[in-house]
Amino acid sequence: DTAVSQTPKYLVTQMGNDKSIKCEQNLGHDTMYWYKQDSKKFLKIMFSYNNKELIINETVPNRFSPKSPDKAHLNLHINSLELGDSAVYFCASSAGTAVRTQYFGPGTRLLVL
Amino acid sequence: DAKTTQPNSMESNEEEPVHLPCNHSTISGTDYIHWYRQLPSQGPEYVIHGLTSNVNNRMASLAIAEDRKSSTLILHRATLRDAAVYYCILRNGGATNKLIFGTGTLLAVQP
């Protein structure tokens, strides 16, 4: 069983389009995250949700909007995609908001043309 | 979160031990030392963490200096599947649970 899954695995799209990435975890965790890994392999947190409530919101353009329909899901919607959005996006989850082990998904490779 | 310093890359031979160093001279008393690794084309995965005492688990050992200003991740017998980027991250016990990744150490394992 996959603990943290993401769909799609690959996403190729044109500039200006709107796209969504989905994340699901079956670990029973109440906290989920989105990280972005750029072309230089630098990993940076974007958002975190705890019990469907936003608790971390780094300086991310407002074209990025996370949505958590329930504790097991955290989706990322991106409006008006730009070339610089090309990256690998990782979802993660943990039990609680304190210093807990995070479990990462396999990543979604987004390429904006 | 306090800063960590790691070598950009290291090389090891298969089935030999590997010692991956991390310096964290500005560590505070409540900072935990966490290690994650990222295998090629995969998401990061947790390896081990500790506060003051040395720690062992099925993946690795963590040796923490007495003054806590440095630590070493020890892979006892490197395999080809251990080739990855290893990240040493300080986590404050009272902070929100966000991981701040540095550049890590790229470990190459030669057969």
Side-chain angles (χ1 to χ4, degrees), chain B residues 86-107:
Chain B
Y86 287 78
Y87 297 98
C88 170
I89 303 169
L90 298 184
R91 310 284 306 286
N92 188 290
T96 55
N97 196 17
K98 64 178 180 181
L99 290 171
I100 299 177
F101 289 86
T103 51
T105 296
L106 175 62
L107 175 66

mmCIF file of all heavy atoms in Angstrom, chain B residues 86-107:
data_model
loop_
_atom_site.group_PDB
_atom_site.id
_atom_site.type_symbol
_atom_site.label_atom_id
_atom_site.label_comp_id
_atom_site.label_asym_id
_atom_site.label_seq_id
_atom_site.Cartn_x
_atom_site.Cartn_y
_atom_site.Cartn_z
ATOM 1 N N TYR B 86 21.889 13.190 1.182
ATOM 2 C CA TYR B 86 21.594 13.097 2.611
ATOM 3 C C TYR B 86 21.528 14.507 3.200
ATOM 4 O O TYR B 86 22.450 15.297 3.057
ATOM 5 C CB TYR B 86 22.668 12.266 3.321
ATOM 6 C CG TYR B 86 22.545 10.799 3.001
ATOM 7 C CD1 TYR B 86 23.006 10.289 1.793
ATOM 8 C CD2 TYR B 86 21.929 9.927 3.891
ATOM 9 C CE1 TYR B 86 22.864 8.936 1.478
ATOM 10 C CE2 TYR B 86 21.790 8.573 3.592
ATOM 11 C CZ TYR B 86 22.259 8.098 2.384
ATOM 12 O OH TYR B 86 22.100 6.764 2.079
ATOM 13 N N TYR B 87 20.414 14.780 3.872
ATOM 14 C CA TYR B 87 20.181 16.100 4.442
ATOM 15 C C TYR B 87 20.220 16.030 5.968
ATOM 16 O O TYR B 87 19.536 15.203 6.576
ATOM 17 C CB TYR B 87 18.806 16.628 4.032
ATOM 18 C CG TYR B 87 18.614 16.851 2.559
ATOM 19 C CD1 TYR B 87 17.981 15.890 1.772
ATOM 20 C CD2 TYR B 87 19.042 18.029 1.955
ATOM 21 C CE1 TYR B 87 17.779 16.099 0.416
ATOM 22 C CE2 TYR B 87 18.848 18.245 0.599
ATOM 23 C CZ TYR B 87 18.217 17.280 -0.155
ATOM 24 O OH TYR B 87 18.021 17.493 -1.499
ATOM 25 N N CYS B 88 20.998 16.911 6.552
ATOM 26 C CA CYS B 88 21.053 17.072 8.000
ATOM 27 C C CYS B 88 20.231 18.313 8.329
ATOM 28 O O CYS B 88 20.500 19.396 7.788
ATOM 29 C CB CYS B 88 22.512 17.242 8.420
ATOM 30 S SG CYS B 88 22.788 17.740 10.115
ATOM 31 N N ILE B 89 19.221 18.188 9.171
ATOM 32 C CA ILE B 89 18.272 19.286 9.421
ATOM 33 C C ILE B 89 18.075 19.438 10.920
ATOM 34 O O ILE B 89 17.869 18.446 11.620
ATOM 35 C CB ILE B 89 16.914 18.981 8.758
ATOM 36 C CG1 ILE B 89 17.087 18.752 7.253
ATOM 37 C CG2 ILE B 89 15.917 20.111 9.015
ATOM 38 C CD1 ILE B 89 15.843 18.200 6.578
ATOM 39 N N LEU B 90 18.134 20.677 11.396
ATOM 40 C CA LEU B 90 17.847 20.945 12.801
ATOM 41 C C LEU B 90 16.376 21.302 12.952
ATOM 42 O O LEU B 90 15.845 22.097 12.194
ATOM 43 C CB LEU B 90 18.718 22.077 13.339
ATOM 44 C CG LEU B 90 20.230 21.822 13.309
ATOM 45 C CD1 LEU B 90 20.958 22.986 13.971
ATOM 46 C CD2 LEU B 90 20.585 20.521 14.004
ATOM 47 N N ARG B 91 15.721 20.704 13.929
ATOM 48 C CA ARG B 91 14.304 20.947 14.160
ATOM 49 C C ARG B 91 14.115 21.393 15.608
ATOM 50 O O ARG B 91 14.444 20.668 16.530
ATOM 51 C CB ARG B 91 13.514 19.655 13.927
ATOM 52 C CG ARG B 91 13.818 18.971 12.610
ATOM 53 C CD ARG B 91 13.173 19.672 11.476
ATOM 54 N NE ARG B 91 11.755 19.838 11.683
ATOM 55 C CZ ARG B 91 10.858 18.858 11.585
ATOM 56 N NH1 ARG B 91 11.247 17.634 11.275
ATOM 57 N NH2 ARG B 91 9.591 19.099 11.779
ATOM 58 N N ASN B 92 13.542 22.564 15.768
ATOM 59 C CA ASN B 92 13.305 23.065 17.110
ATOM 60 C C ASN B 92 12.088 22.374 17.710
ATOM 61 O O ASN B 92 11.043 22.298 17.087
ATOM 62 C CB ASN B 92 13.090 24.577 17.067
ATOM 63 C CG ASN B 92 13.025 25.163 18.457
ATOM 64 O OD1 ASN B 92 12.071 24.939 19.193
ATOM 65 N ND2 ASN B 92 14.056 25.880 18.835
ATOM 66 N N GLY B 93 12.225 21.905 18.933
ATOM 67 C CA GLY B 93 11.157 21.134 19.550
ATOM 68 C C GLY B 93 9.851 21.895 19.682
ATOM 69 O O GLY B 93 8.778 21.310 19.721
ATOM 70 N N GLY B 94 9.929 23.229 19.741
ATOM 71 C CA GLY B 94 8.708 23.991 19.919
ATOM 72 C C GLY B 94 8.188 24.621 18.643
ATOM 73 O O GLY B 94 7.164 25.303 18.645
ATOM 74 N N ALA B 95 8.868 24.384 17.542
ATOM 75 C CA ALA B 95 8.518 25.089 16.302
ATOM 76 C C ALA B 95 7.462 24.326 15.514
ATOM 77 O O ALA B 95 7.149 23.176 15.811
ATOM 78 C CB ALA B 95 9.765 25.276 15.450
ATOM 79 N N THR B 96 6.928 24.992 14.512
ATOM 80 C CA THR B 96 6.029 24.289 13.599
ATOM 81 C C THR B 96 6.834 23.267 12.805
ATOM 82 O O THR B 96 8.032 23.382 12.665
ATOM 83 C CB THR B 96 5.358 25.262 12.617
ATOM 84 O OG1 THR B 96 6.377 25.986 11.940
ATOM 85 C CG2 THR B 96 4.447 26.218 13.341
ATOM 86 N N ASN B 97 6.132 22.302 12.318
ATOM 87 C CA ASN B 97 6.792 21.147 11.722
ATOM 88 C C ASN B 97 7.144 21.369 10.265
ATOM 89 O O ASN B 97 6.643 20.680 9.405
ATOM 90 C CB ASN B 97 5.877 19.926 11.882
ATOM 91 C CG ASN B 97 6.615 18.626 11.647
ATOM 92 O OD1 ASN B 97 7.832 18.588 11.674
ATOM 93 N ND2 ASN B 97 5.873 17.567 11.401
ATOM 94 N N LYS B 98 7.987 22.358 9.966
ATOM 95 C CA LYS B 98 8.415 22.498 8.582
ATOM 96 C C LYS B 98 9.886 22.133 8.485
ATOM 97 O O LYS B 98 10.699 22.508 9.322
ATOM 98 C CB LYS B 98 8.173 23.912 8.054
ATOM 99 C CG LYS B 98 8.960 25.013 8.726
ATOM 100 C CD LYS B 98 8.639 26.350 8.040
ATOM 101 C CE LYS B 98 9.412 27.477 8.691
ATOM 102 N NZ LYS B 98 9.104 28.787 8.069
ATOM 103 N N LEU B 99 10.206 21.357 7.462
ATOM 104 C CA LEU B 99 11.579 20.950 7.227
ATOM 105 C C LEU B 99 12.260 21.996 6.361
ATOM 106 O O LEU B 99 11.752 22.360 5.306
ATOM 107 C CB LEU B 99 11.621 19.589 6.523
ATOM 108 C CG LEU B 99 11.189 18.384 7.354
ATOM 109 C CD1 LEU B 99 11.055 17.153 6.483
ATOM 110 C CD2 LEU B 99 12.180 18.132 8.472
ATOM 111 N N ILE B 100 13.404 22.487 6.830
ATOM 112 C CA ILE B 100 14.180 23.428 6.038
ATOM 113 C C ILE B 100 15.396 22.676 5.509
ATOM 114 O O ILE B 100 16.330 22.365 6.256
ATOM 115 C CB ILE B 100 14.602 24.649 6.875
ATOM 116 C CG1 ILE B 100 13.352 25.371 7.363
ATOM 117 C CG2 ILE B 100 15.481 25.583 6.049
ATOM 118 C CD1 ILE B 100 13.619 26.557 8.253
ATOM 119 N N PHE B 101 15.343 22.356 4.223
ATOM 120 C CA PHE B 101 16.406 21.571 3.597
ATOM 121 C C PHE B 101 17.545 22.475 3.155
ATOM 122 O O PHE B 101 17.328 23.530 2.590
ATOM 123 C CB PHE B 101 15.862 20.829 2.368
ATOM 124 C CG PHE B 101 14.937 19.697 2.694
ATOM 125 C CD1 PHE B 101 13.588 19.916 2.879
ATOM 126 C CD2 PHE B 101 15.413 18.406 2.806
ATOM 127 C CE1 PHE B 101 12.723 18.872 3.185
ATOM 128 C CE2 PHE B 101 14.563 17.341 3.100
ATOM 129 C CZ PHE B 101 13.218 17.584 3.295
ATOM 130 N N GLY B 102 18.787 22.019 3.390
ATOM 131 C CA GLY B 102 19.949 22.671 2.823
ATOM 132 C C GLY B 102 20.291 21.999 1.507
ATOM 133 O O GLY B 102 19.416 21.436 0.850
ATOM 134 N N THR B 103 21.568 22.042 1.157
ATOM 135 C CA THR B 103 21.986 21.429 -0.099
ATOM 136 C C THR B 103 22.344 19.957 0.059
ATOM 137 O O THR B 103 22.404 19.215 -0.901
ATOM 138 C CB THR B 103 23.187 22.158 -0.702
ATOM 139 O OG1 THR B 103 24.189 22.268 0.300
ATOM 140 C CG2 THR B 103 22.778 23.547 -1.168
ATOM 141 N N GLY B 104 22.578 19.511 1.301
ATOM 142 C CA GLY B 104 22.830 18.103 1.543
ATOM 143 C C GLY B 104 24.162 17.608 1.010
ATOM 144 O O GLY B 104 24.947 18.345 0.408
ATOM 145 N N THR B 105 24.407 16.316 1.236
ATOM 146 C CA THR B 105 25.606 15.634 0.740
ATOM 147 C C THR B 105 25.191 14.568 -0.255
ATOM 148 O O THR B 105 24.388 13.683 0.082
ATOM 149 C CB THR B 105 26.384 14.962 1.883
ATOM 150 O OG1 THR B 105 26.858 15.939 2.790
ATOM 151 C CG2 THR B 105 27.572 14.162 1.324
ATOM 152 N N LEU B 106 25.713 14.661 -1.448
ATOM 153 C CA LEU B 106 25.451 13.640 -2.468
ATOM 154 C C LEU B 106 26.426 12.486 -2.256
ATOM 155 O O LEU B 106 27.640 12.644 -2.403
ATOM 156 C CB LEU B 106 25.613 14.230 -3.866
ATOM 157 C CG LEU B 106 25.474 13.247 -5.024
ATOM 158 C CD1 LEU B 106 24.078 12.630 -5.039
ATOM 159 C CD2 LEU B 106 25.767 13.931 -6.358
ATOM 160 N N LEU B 107 25.888 11.328 -1.872
ATOM 161 C CA LEU B 107 26.711 10.151 -1.621
ATOM 162 C C LEU B 107 26.704 9.250 -2.840
ATOM 163 O O LEU B 107 25.647 8.817 -3.302
ATOM 164 C CB LEU B 107 26.190 9.366 -0.413
ATOM 165 C CG LEU B 107 26.905 8.051 -0.131
ATOM 166 C CD1 LEU B 107 28.352 8.299 0.285
ATOM 167 C CD2 LEU B 107 26.172 7.248 0.940
#
